[in-house]
Amino acid sequence: MVKKEMIAMLLAGGQGSRLGVLTDNVAKPAVSFGGKYRIIDFPLSNCINSGIDTVGVLTQYRPLRLNTHIGIGIPWDLDRNVGGVTVLPPYEKKNDTDWYTGTANAIYQNLEYMEQFNPDYVLILSGDHIYKMDYEVMLDYHKANKADVTIAVMPVPMEEASRFGIMVTDDTGRITDFQEKPEHPASNLASMGIYIFSWPVLREALVKMRNQPNLDFGMHVLPYCRENGMRLFAYEFNGYWKDVGTLGSYWQANMELIDVIPEFNLYEEFWKIFTRGDIVPPDYIGQNAVVDKCIIGEGAEICGEVHNSIIGPGVRIEEGAVIRDSIIMQETFIGRDAVLDRAVVAQGVTIGSGAVVGCGEDAPNTFDPKVYAFGLATIGENSTIPAGVKIGRNTAILGETSAEDYPDGELPSGGAIIRHDAREGDEQ
């Protein structure tokens, strides 16, 4: 096998439970973003734009959609005879069989994959962040400091620092201490979950710590490296970076794409974001349609009004329908005279004529108040909303619903109708 200077290991197995019904049937990295993209497109595009042509993608939760999307890596020029992209699910071993139980445990279980390339450096990435970063510049920083581990960090407002893993550094950028979500942070440099390890250091740490339950980089591997005198440095990144881990941050990051001069630009020639493109017809805007400040996906048919929204490929919006401040994912149908306001609608949803989604005053969600907040109405994929019903804010719907599910024709703000896969026999 040809030796590689640096390979990437992309952690893409997360359930993404804080995205609620959006990830009921799909891993978070496979969730749509910005119309035609999926979240994992961003780290994969960063890799090939940075000259990294060997990427292991570690999957676990609901991997089918993610695996299908990645395929053999053609959109990202990662269909290589040597290297390229390889999907790495957990597998059965002779002596022990285990799911990936932590970020570092997942990497440890794939030592054999990394060893075949005998890299000088290993880049560890998360599959659920939106950003553009040249990892080659970070590698140059790693080399210049003769570092064993380099951690990408981002300055955050001091009042928000207690939400993050915080790195404390000296004047040279060397890390002197870690603080995991500290009550009184000593620094505002938040870890981005992006690491470059010199390969011998990573291998030693993983092997020595392999019996640690739920082996994690932040909790176990990085402290091990520091306690054993290894050189840890912080690489400060000042570009756009979003963890779209909550419905609020996911909605906000999508809405920012619509700005006249967006902070995160998807249209730059020198740093393209690649994705798998299906062969679909062009979008169609009807004669009486109104489209204002939107991103419209290929194959969409719009005959109603759409304002300040992101419309995915293949979405159909009938006459009289009005969409505002919403994210509508691919292949969704919105019937005549329906009204959607601050709605996040997953793919394959059918919304009946005259339905109103996102109305009334905010109220805490009764099913999961931390997830279903932000004044949004969230509808999971392949759900059905009957004609004429009203759905309030901070609501969640998953599954086929009928008029009987809406007393007085309404799901009030804070309500939820969650019907998981009928084969699982789980209904709430």
Side-chain angles (χ1 to χ4, degrees):
M1 185 62 74
V2 175
K3 178 180 173 61
K4 299 284 184 179
E5 182 185 29
M6 184 161 77
I7 65 172
M9 299 294 280
L10 204 165
L11 296 157
Q15 179 177 350
S17 57
R18 291 179 300 158
L19 289 180
V21 294
L22 297 187
T23 53
D24 195 73
N25 294 311
V26 62
K28 182 163 69 167
V31 171
S32 295
F33 183 85
K36 71 176 184 177
Y37 299 100
R38 296 188 186 269
I39 294 172
I40 198 170
D41 292 337
F42 296 87
L44 283 176
S45 298
N46 287 340
C47 283
I48 200 64
N49 288 330
S50 302
I52 299 168
D53 63 5
T54 303
V55 184
V57 180
L58 287 72
T59 63
Q60 180 159 282
Y61 173 80
R62 297 279 193 181
L64 178 60
R65 185 96 39 87
L66 193 61
N67 295 351
T68 303
H69 181 69
I70 294 170
I72 59 172
I74 291 174
W76 306 272
D77 192 26
L78 289 170
D79 52 328
R80 307 292 180 100
N81 289 330
V82 178
V85 67
T86 305
V87 175
L88 300 168
Y91 59 94
E92 187 171 354
K93 296 169 279 292
K94 185 174 182 180
N95 296 323
D96 67 301
T97 297
D98 206 352
W99 291 104
Y100 296 151
T101 58
T103 54
N105 173 266
I107 302 295
Y108 169 72
Q109 290 198 41
N110 288 283
L111 273 180
E112 189 177 345
Y113 169 80
M114 295 183 284
E115 284 171 340
Q116 66 180 327
F117 299 107
N118 188 28
D120 296 319
Y121 309 99
V122 177
L123 172 68
I124 310 292
L125 301 172
S126 173
D128 51 12
H129 297 149
I130 305 296
Y131 66 109
K132 298 176 183 177
M133 180 191 280
D134 189 340
Y135 303 131
E136 198 166 18
V137 176
M138 184 176 170
L139 179 60
D140 290 342
Y141 178 87
H142 181 87
K143 292 176 181 175
N145 285 291
K146 297 183 171 58
D148 295 309
V149 187
T150 298
I151 302 166
V153 297
M154 191 164 191
V156 297
M158 207 63 179
E159 58 271 19
E160 295 181 22
S162 58
R163 294 172 40 218
F164 299 92
I166 294 297
M167 303 291 137
V168 182
T169 64
D170 63 18
D171 293 341
T172 68
R174 186 165 180 172
I175 294 169
T176 57
D177 194 14
F178 308 123
Q179 296 181 318
E180 188 61 35
K181 298 183 178 177
E183 190 175 345
H184 303 290
S187 158
N188 71 331
L189 295 178
S191 171
M192 299 169 64
I194 300 169
Y195 315 113
I196 291 179
F197 283 85
S198 296
W199 168 235
V201 171
L202 177 62
R203 194 181 192 290
E204 176 193 325
L206 293 176
V207 170
K208 288 284 177 64
M209 300 289 288
R210 65 186 181 276
N211 294 323
Q212 170 70 44
N214 304 317
L215 184 61
D216 180 81
F217 279 104
M219 297 292 290
H220 305 117
V221 172
L222 296 180
Y224 170 87
C225 292
R226 187 171 66 86
E227 289 161 10
N228 284 273
M230 296 170 187
R231 294 172 59 83
L232 279 69
F233 279 80
Y235 171 74
E236 188 170 324
F237 178 72
N238 287 289
Y240 181 98
W241 179 83
K242 272 279 170 70
D243 178 352
V244 288
T246 66
L247 285 170
S249 62
Y250 174 79
W251 179 83
Q252 184 66 43
N254 273 275
M255 292 298 107
E256 287 172 354
L257 298 176
I258 308 171
D259 291 342
V260 176
I261 303 175
E263 187 180 352
F264 187 71
N265 191 343
L266 291 172
Y267 308 104
E268 291 171 329
E269 279 296 315
F270 72 93
W271 199 271
K272 290 184 177 179
I273 304 299
F274 303 96
T275 189
R276 174 180 170 170
D278 295 321
I279 299 173
V280 293
D283 55 278
Y284 170 78
I285 310 296
Q287 183 176 357
N288 299 317
V290 177
V291 176
D292 170 41
K293 202 179 172 192
C294 296
I295 291 176
I296 308 294
E298 298 97 327
E301 297 180 21
I302 299 176
C303 296
E305 291 186 31
V306 186
H307 304 278
N308 200 57
S309 295
I310 291 186
I311 307 299
V315 169
R316 288 172 55 207
I317 300 172
E318 295 210 316
E319 285 186 27
V322 180
I323 317 295
R324 290 190 183 89
D325 301 326
S326 295
I327 302 165
I328 315 295
M329 299 184 201
Q330 54 265 48
E331 307 301 333
T332 282
F333 172 82
I334 298 173
R336 184 181 295 267
D337 299 324
V339 177
L340 282 75
D341 183 40
R342 286 179 67 93
V344 180
V345 182
Q347 69 183 63
V349 170
T350 299
I351 296 178
S353 300
V356 179
V357 180
C359 60
E361 300 296 320
D362 286 6
N365 185 267
T366 56
F367 181 71
D368 194 333
K370 290 184 178 178
V371 170
Y372 302 109
F374 317 103
L376 301 170
T378 308
I379 302 176
E381 69 175 49
N382 300 323
S383 298
T384 303
I385 309 300
V389 302
K390 292 185 176 181
I391 296 167
R393 302 187 185 279
N394 295 336
T395 48
I397 294 176
L398 177 67
E400 291 190 23
T401 64
S402 63
E404 290 75 35
D405 297 308
Y406 301 82
D408 301 320
E410 184 178 6
L411 178 66
S413 292
I417 303 171
I418 307 290
R419 293 217 168 95
H420 294 291
D421 191 325
R423 291 169 296 178
E424 298 175 10
D426 186 359
E427 183 172 315
Q428 294 165 317

